[in-house]
Amino acid sequence: MPRELIFVQVGQCGNQIGMRFWDLALKEHAKAKQSLLYDESLSSFFRNVNSKNQELKIGEPIQNLKARALIVDMEEGVINQILKSPLGELFEEKQCIQDVSGAGNNWAHGFYHYGNQYEKHIEERLRKTVEQCDSLQCFFMTHSIGGGTGSGLGSRILGLLEDNYPEVFRFTASVFPSGDDDVVTSPYNSLFSLYELAKHADCVFPIDNSALINIVDQIDKPNKARLVKENAHEGSVGIKITQFGEEEKRQKPFDKMNSLIAHLLSHITCSMRFEGALNVDLNEITMNLVPYPDLHFLISSMAPLYSLLDSKLQPRRLDQMFNDIYHPDFQMITGQPSLHKYLAVGLLVRGDVAFSDVNRNIKKLKDQLRMIYWNQEGFKYGICNQPPIGQQYSMLCLANNTCIKDTFQEMTDRFQKLYKRKVYVHHYKQYMEQSHFDETLNAIQNLMVKYQELELAQPKKYQRIQPIF
């Protein structure tokens, strides 16, 4: 039976990520398909309809693919761009929910004002999208948590998903703001969103802009070096480099960063779309990597990185990828997992990879990683036979690691820096009680305490009782 996934794209950032993802998904399925028939693999992300918008069954010829998605933004610019783009045919206007004025970088405005205004509309659109599925497995939300719409309205939608579809998994790819974010209210918005993510999501993949920028810089360096080397033989280095710079300028802001997130989403979902020697379902991710319900923030890292955006570079050996995957430079969020405790680790490999090679490398990793004492064998791995576009194989690591508390601490510090002076609080009090600030702060501090307790956890030593006789 096919298993479907519905994408919920919220806010400018969430929708820009979504567009990069849909573009990548189409390319992957086009490469993998052996026929022009609609199959179970395609049905995970797409519906197939005829010219009268009637649903076609699996096994029938592909006519018009429609994405299983809900597109939400309180500014109309990005959604209009989506509908006018080459990918616009994937979407119908009834899948889009939009306004014109935006949420003004105010979480409360998005959560309460637009949440109340559009709640019934969103629930109705979700209901119709769900009814088009035979076996819905997961909602996957893409959004940022530093602004107003993605954070506030995104949080409201996440709660609606839990209320209306409690048995369906809720995964999010959530872009966390960096410390130098130019949105002055992002410390408030991000912590309010984090509180909702802890309460309502089943699994969160935190991503921060500073880590993405670092990855893009790594990718660009060998590209520029290669251009210099190529053109040194032609005697026209200056011209070529100038052309490269112009090409860079033509790219939309954050395109490369959004492409990295799109590859992350593709990798997470590949096992439900393609055949594999040892496929890992999405429910297995939560079952194996989330030991406590609110500790569901997974640090993601991918290897190889350089060929995600440029397949001309030489592929790396599998063993080298296992080393790379645990280096901070390959992570989607800034942190030092090696200095902290791993609660569980998931490894998802794509491509023609032997079990023996994976097992051999995992055995080496077990000696290197600081696993918590009660889960020393806490490794879950899967192998999907379909490689990514332009690569022989690739690897994704999902780690539940106590180092995420450092990220939460930084977010809390930025929140308190504003809140102790009560600056900008009046903007939020238009929509909610001030007590929500204190409630959120206490909840996140308690969440950090849980991680800290696990960080310090040691097996109990029992005193040996001497026999009486």
Side-chain angles (χ1 to χ4, degrees), residues 85-102:
S85 73
L87 292 175
E89 295 181 1
L90 289 176
F91 308 99
E92 300 169 340
E93 287 194 18
K94 62 183 180 182
Q95 293 175 260
C96 304
I97 297 175
Q98 60 184 339
D99 205 289
V100 294
S101 58

Side-chain angles (χ1 to χ4, degrees), residues 81-269:
Q81 289 175 12
I82 290 173
L83 296 177
K84 293 176 183 177
S85 73
L87 292 175
E89 295 181 1
L90 289 176
F91 308 99
E92 300 169 340
E93 287 194 18
K94 62 183 180 182
Q95 293 175 260
C96 304
I97 297 175
Q98 60 184 339
D99 205 289
V100 294
S101 58
N105 292 323
N106 185 329
W107 181 91
H109 191 183
F111 189 92
Y112 290 102
H113 177 75
Y114 285 127
N116 293 338
Q117 181 178 343
Y118 287 99
E119 179 176 299
K120 298 299 181 184
H121 194 38
I122 291 170
E123 287 181 326
E124 179 64 15
R125 288 284 179 261
L126 284 170
R127 183 185 63 79
K128 291 183 177 180
T129 307
V130 170
E131 287 176 351
Q132 294 165 343
C133 300
D134 292 322
S135 180
L136 177 61
Q137 186 178 46
C138 181
F139 293 104
F140 214 127
M141 179 184 291
T142 56
H143 67 141
S144 70
I145 66 171
T149 301
S151 65
L153 189 54
S155 297
R156 184 65 171 264
I157 293 173
L158 192 61
L160 292 177
L161 294 177
E162 183 177 32
D163 292 341
N164 291 279
Y165 309 98
E167 303 302 318
V168 181
F169 290 105
R170 298 169 300 280
F171 284 29
T172 77
S174 305
V175 179
F176 285 37
S178 54
D180 57 354
D181 193 356
D182 59 356
V183 177
V184 293
T185 54
S186 72
Y188 290 152
N189 300 332
S190 56
L191 211 68
F192 291 145
S193 298
L194 182 60
Y195 181 29
E196 299 297 320
L197 288 170
K199 288 194 296 183
H200 300 300
D202 290 304
C203 202
V204 177
F205 305 102
I207 301 156
D208 75 39
N209 284 330
S210 57
L212 294 179
I213 291 170
N214 177 56
I215 292 172
V216 170
D217 287 343
Q218 290 183 69
I219 295 169
D220 283 347
K221 285 177 183 177
N223 277 335
K224 293 174 181 176
R226 176 169 52 81
L227 283 168
V228 172
K229 185 176 180 180
E230 286 175 356
N231 296 304
H233 300 291
E234 300 174 11
S236 56
V237 177
I239 296 174
K240 283 286 188 176
I241 293 297
T242 301
Q243 291 174 347
F244 179 78
E246 290 173 352
E247 182 179 345
E248 290 282 280
K249 291 176 183 177
R250 284 197 299 269
Q251 288 193 325
K252 293 181 181 179
F254 305 115
D255 259 6
K256 288 186 177 181
M257 295 161 67
N258 291 335
S259 291
L260 291 170
I261 302 173
H263 277 88
L264 168 66
L265 304 181
S266 171
H267 211 133
I268 292 169
T269 59

Side-chain angles (χ1 to χ4, degrees), residues 55-67:
E55 199 92 15
L56 300 177
K57 296 181 180 179
I58 290 175
E60 297 190 56
I62 297 172
Q63 292 193 29
N64 299 294
L65 293 179
K66 298 296 180 182

Side-chain angles (χ1 to χ4, degrees), residues 112 428-429 431-437:
Y112 290 102
Y428 292 79
K429 289 172 66 177
Y431 308 101
M432 68 184 197
E433 298 293 329
Q434 187 172 330
S435 59
H436 192 70
F437 283 80

Side-chain angles (χ1 to χ4, degrees), residues 32 128 164 259 268 290 334 343 377 384 394:
K128 291 183 177 180
N164 291 279
S259 291
I268 292 169
V290 182
T334 305
L343 308 183
E377 302 298 320
C384 176
S394 69

